[in-house]
Amino acid sequence: MEESTRIKQFKDGLIKELTFYPNDKTTSQKLESESLHKVLTYYLHWRSRIVPPRCRTAVIEPEVKADSRYKALEDKIEALLDKVRNGEDINLYHSKRAHQYGYTPEINPPDYRDDKDTILNTAGFHHFHLDALPNRTDDVLFAYVTRGKFQAIGIFNHEVFNSDRTSCELVRMWALHEKHARQGMGRGNSYVRHRNVVSKYPAYLIEDVDEYMKIIGEYDSKLDERNYINSLYNKCNLQPPSRFKFEWCMNALDLCVRDRKNNETFNLYEADM
């Protein structure tokens, strides 16, 4: 895709927002040399680790309440779920790595995998510490999170993050994942775990990036056309302005365009979370 000035400014904005390690000029220059497709991949992979604030229905599965740790953690779990229901910011309940390692180049071993959440990429679970930063708990709450629902699945300690596949916590996590993945399926049917591609990014993420690129390629030139801008405003029951100045932007994981001159934002792609 040929990069217009607007697309170049969009890529620069993503790099500016993206956290990276090491946070130095070399890493910054490497990102600047990458294509928009790659920068979007890094950005969406990072942002997918951080649940955006929205009002969500919060559900606690029986395995959470049956856990021997639940009584001691109940108040903290309910405090987190109250924030979820109210649409409050829960960023501080995420791990430090989710905040600090948005992108780490593979030229920097052994740290380059710190920007990957393997369990999220393979099982689809977000995990939450039950004390906000800077305090940390050894026990974490695992949940499936969508745009409208927060489904608390289980309590685990940090043993679940070990690479040893015989770890009791990891074995229990995969058992819970399989149970919920198979809900509503007939006997004998199979399911597919989140597919990872060679780059170690999940396949669904690459598919999302491809869709974003398709939208950008299709609509970038239209952001200077009066008829298209009028249609954007009319669809939202807004009066089209006499003058406009549009730019690409992200709202969490949603792809948007913003009219800087009139301070209006329009969502062109709504993510699942």
Side-chain angles (χ1 to χ4, degrees):
M1 177 190 299
E2 184 177 348
E3 293 190 352
S4 65
T5 298
R6 181 166 35 234
I7 291 175
K8 289 177 181 175
Q9 290 173 342
F10 177 50
K11 186 174 79 170
D12 290 344
L14 296 179
I15 294 171
K16 185 176 181 180
E17 185 180 348
L18 179 64
T19 62
F20 47 83
Y21 179 86
N23 186 3
D24 57 22
K25 189 173 182 179
T26 300
T27 309
S28 178
Q29 288 177 335
K30 184 180 187 305
L31 285 167
E32 290 166 3
S33 70
E34 300 275 26
S35 66
L36 175 59
H37 190 285
K38 285 191 175 182
V39 172
L40 260 174
T41 301
Y42 305 148
Y43 181 89
L44 292 177
H45 181 254
W46 166 57
R47 285 296 312 183
S48 68
R49 299 173 71 182
I50 301 173
V51 174
R54 307 186 199 283
C55 292
R56 293 178 170 89
T57 301
V59 177
I60 304 179
E61 293 298 331
E63 290 85 359
V64 177
K65 293 187 176 181
D67 194 292
S68 61
R69 293 164 286 196
Y70 177 71
K71 281 297 181 184
L73 298 171
E74 181 178 6
D75 289 346
K76 292 181 178 181
I77 291 173
E78 284 300 331
L80 170 60
L81 297 188
D82 281 344
K83 290 181 181 294
V84 169
R85 296 183 184 103
N86 295 330
E88 297 178 38
D89 192 333
I90 57 173
N91 283 355
L92 294 181
Y93 289 85
H94 289 296
S95 68
K96 294 178 181 178
R97 288 184 177 182
H99 291 276
Q100 298 172 355
Y101 293 87
Y103 166 75
T104 299
E106 295 194 11
I107 59 174
N108 193 56
D111 302 307
Y112 75 88
R113 293 187 183 275
D114 285 343
D115 63 355
K116 309 290 192 300
D117 185 333
T118 303
I119 289 178
L120 176 61
N121 286 350
T122 57
F125 287 124
H126 282 86
H127 69 273
F128 302 87
H129 292 265
L130 297 173
D131 278 319
L133 284 168
N135 300 316
R136 300 282 80 182
T137 54
D138 182 51
D139 295 314
V140 292
L141 182 71
F142 274 41
Y144 285 128
V145 184
T146 63
R147 203 171 182 94
K149 186 176 180 180
F150 185 105
Q151 186 180 9
I153 298 293
I155 300 169
F156 298 87
N157 62 40
H158 272 63
E159 183 187 324
V160 76
F161 301 113
N162 293 344
S163 57
D164 180 3
R165 294 186 179 183
T166 63
S167 155
C168 292
E169 290 286 72
L170 193 58
V171 169
R172 186 168 64 88
M173 185 276 292
W174 278 116
L176 276 176
H177 168 71
E178 181 171 350
K179 173 189 173 182
H180 288 279
R182 290 183 180 277
Q183 282 183 348
M185 295 176 61
R187 291 185 63 183
N189 290 337
S190 61
Y191 72 98
V192 180
R193 293 180 181 177
H194 285 205
R195 292 177 294 122
N196 277 25
V197 295
V198 175
S199 63
K200 304 301 181 183
Y201 295 105
Y204 74 86
L205 181 77
I206 303 301
E207 291 166 0
D208 280 348
V209 174
D210 290 343
E211 183 64 25
Y212 285 36
M213 293 296 295
K214 179 181 176 182
I215 293 170
I216 293 170
E218 182 177 354
Y219 290 98
D220 185 64
S221 62
K222 294 183 179 182
L223 297 178
D224 296 316
E225 296 176 3
R226 164 55 63 183
N227 288 341
Y228 179 68
I229 299 311
N230 286 353
S231 71
L232 274 180
Y233 273 86
N234 289 332
K235 285 178 182 177
C236 297
N237 296 317
L238 296 172
Q239 179 65 37
S242 57
R243 301 175 66 189
F244 54 84
K245 180 72 172 179
F246 272 83
E247 64 185 7
W248 293 100
C249 63
M250 298 294 299
N251 179 17
L253 295 169
D254 295 344
L255 178 64
C256 306
V257 289
R258 178 169 52 231
D259 184 351
R260 291 175 57 188
K261 191 169 289 293
N262 299 284
N263 196 29
E264 295 287 356
T265 300
F266 302 87
N267 195 331
L268 298 189
Y269 186 94
E270 186 175 280
D272 294 332
M273 185 179 70

